[in-house]
């Protein structure tokens, strides 16, 4: 730590927990407790039950969870592929060209996501490319929204990459494609897995653009949570939110294990 005195370190920890607990930890704790409650009229909930989670095994909730997982998985993989390709291409450009590419990829996150949803709705609601009312337009929206994060992660990793490895492989007669697949990408694997995890988490929680685009047969879990709370079923919505958080954390944990192994190798 930058603070060397014992009293200073204690002060830093106290300030950290004073800010962390009410701002970050307490809201998640409230959601978890609410998912087991039947009523909440005072400071604490009452009527603890598992009924909300039992209800989730019925109806459309399992399908909504599967929809979110599939959407996030496909969107994160597509974003990773596009972002990596763009970052590798931008590396060979001059500074002005890289700035243009950076601006293009950051544009979807510089504007509200509802604008991205509306633009896709207008662009793909008529032939020759009619995507409105399909799951493809939802996955496309998620891909557009998270590709910027994949691009920035890979571009930052490329700036830290030691060029000596590529130069050594090239001096031994390796073709550029061999250097890319056997030298450069393996060195970028920790950053690639981190970018994939970030894209997956962002896609799992995306709501604004999804609300404008989702068809009746492709309803992600955040939309289901919004619908439950909008109907006044707050405790059911809390249970759905806990399931969303748990499933996202499980996938991120698996990705972190892959990232740690890649860093070790």
């Amino acid at each position: 730590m930058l603070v060397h005195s014992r009293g200073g370190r204690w002060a830093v920890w106290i300030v950290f927990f004073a800010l962390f607990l009410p701002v970050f930890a307490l809201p998640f704790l409230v959601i978890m407790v609410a998912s087991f409650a039947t009523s909440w009229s005072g400071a604490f909930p009452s009527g603890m039950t598992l009924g909300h989670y039992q209800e989730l095994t019925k109806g459309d909730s399992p399908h909504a969870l599967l929809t979110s997982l599939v959407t996030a998985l496909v969107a994160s993989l597509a974003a990773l592929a596009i972002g990596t390709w763009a970052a590798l291409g931008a590396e060979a450009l001059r500074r002005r060209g890289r700035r243009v590419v950076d601006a293009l990829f950051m544009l979807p996150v510089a504007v509200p996501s509802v604008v991205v949803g509306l633009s896709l709705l207008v662009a793909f609601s008529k032939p020759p490319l009619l995507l409105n009312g399909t799951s493809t337009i939802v996955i496309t929206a998620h891909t557009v929204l998270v590709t910027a994060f994949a691009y920035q992660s890979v571009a930052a990793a490329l700036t830290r990459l030691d060029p000596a490895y590529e130069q050594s492989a090239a001096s031994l007669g390796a073709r550029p494609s061999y250097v890319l697949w056997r030298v450069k990408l393996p060195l970028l694997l920790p950053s690639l897995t981190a970018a994939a995890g970030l894209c997956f988490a962002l896609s799992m929680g995306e709501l604004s653009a999804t609300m404008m685009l989702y068809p009746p047969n492709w309803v992600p879990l955040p939309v289901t949570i919004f619908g439950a709370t909008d109907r006044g079923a707050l405790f059911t919505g809390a249970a759905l939110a806990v399931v969303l958080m748990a499933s996202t954390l499980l996938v991120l944990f698996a990705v972190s294990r892959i990232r740690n192994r890649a860093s070790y190798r």
Side-chain angles (χ1 to χ4, degrees):
M1 295 180 66
L2 298 178
V3 181
H4 299 286
S5 65
R6 184 182 183 88
R9 287 197 295 269
W10 275 106
V12 170
W13 280 112
I14 291 173
V15 172
F16 170 76
F17 282 110
L19 295 175
F20 175 79
L21 290 177
V23 176
F24 296 100
L26 187 59
F28 293 109
L29 180 61
V30 170
I31 292 296
M32 293 185 65
V33 173
S35 66
F36 295 99
T38 57
S39 62
W40 199 321
S41 57
F44 298 98
S46 59
M48 307 304 287
T49 179
L50 294 174
H52 304 306
Y53 289 97
Q54 293 174 353
E55 293 176 3
L56 300 186
T57 61
K58 308 172 185 177
D60 297 330
S61 298
H63 183 265
L65 176 59
L66 180 61
T67 298
S68 286
L69 291 172
V70 172
T71 301
L73 179 62
V74 176
S76 59
L77 290 178
L80 186 63
I82 297 171
T84 302
W85 169 76
L88 290 171
E91 186 187 22
L93 300 177
R94 296 181 179 179
R95 179 176 299 180
R96 181 174 298 180
R98 286 198 300 270
R99 289 179 178 176
V100 172
V101 176
D102 290 346
L104 290 175
F105 274 88
M106 292 304 297
L107 183 61
V109 296
V111 300
S113 58
V114 67
V115 176
V116 176
L118 179 61
S119 64
L120 292 175
L121 186 65
V122 173
F124 300 120
S125 292
K126 294 182 179 180
L129 192 57
L130 180 61
L131 299 180
N132 190 14
T134 66
S135 60
T136 305
I137 195 170
V138 178
I139 297 175
T140 301
H142 284 229
T143 303
V144 171
L145 290 170
V146 303
T147 297
F149 300 96
Y151 169 78
Q152 289 293 333
S153 298
V154 178
L158 285 172
T159 60
R160 300 190 302 266
L161 195 63
D162 190 351
Y165 296 103
E166 301 175 61
Q167 295 170 358
S168 299
S171 65
L172 294 174
R175 298 188 302 272
S177 59
Y178 184 90
V179 174
L180 174 63
W181 288 103
R182 299 302 299 272
V183 178
K184 203 166 192 176
L185 289 180
L187 291 173
L188 290 173
L189 188 57
S191 299
L192 294 176
T193 53
L198 175 61
C199 293
F200 182 88
L202 293 172
S203 179
M204 285 290 288
E206 209 293 314
L207 177 62
S208 299
T210 309
M211 288 291 294
M212 301 190 66
L213 300 171
Y214 75 94
N217 62 341
W218 196 263
V219 183
L221 194 55
V223 178
T224 305
I225 295 172
F226 176 83
T229 55
D230 191 51
R231 295 192 305 268
L234 298 179
F235 302 122
T236 302
L240 288 169
V242 172
V243 171
L244 178 63
M245 289 189 295
S247 57
T248 304
L249 289 175
L250 284 175
V251 174
L252 291 180
F253 176 75
V255 172
S256 68
R257 294 292 299 272
I258 298 174
R259 182 172 181 266
N260 291 337
R261 291 182 180 180
S263 300
Y264 178 76
R265 292 175 62 185

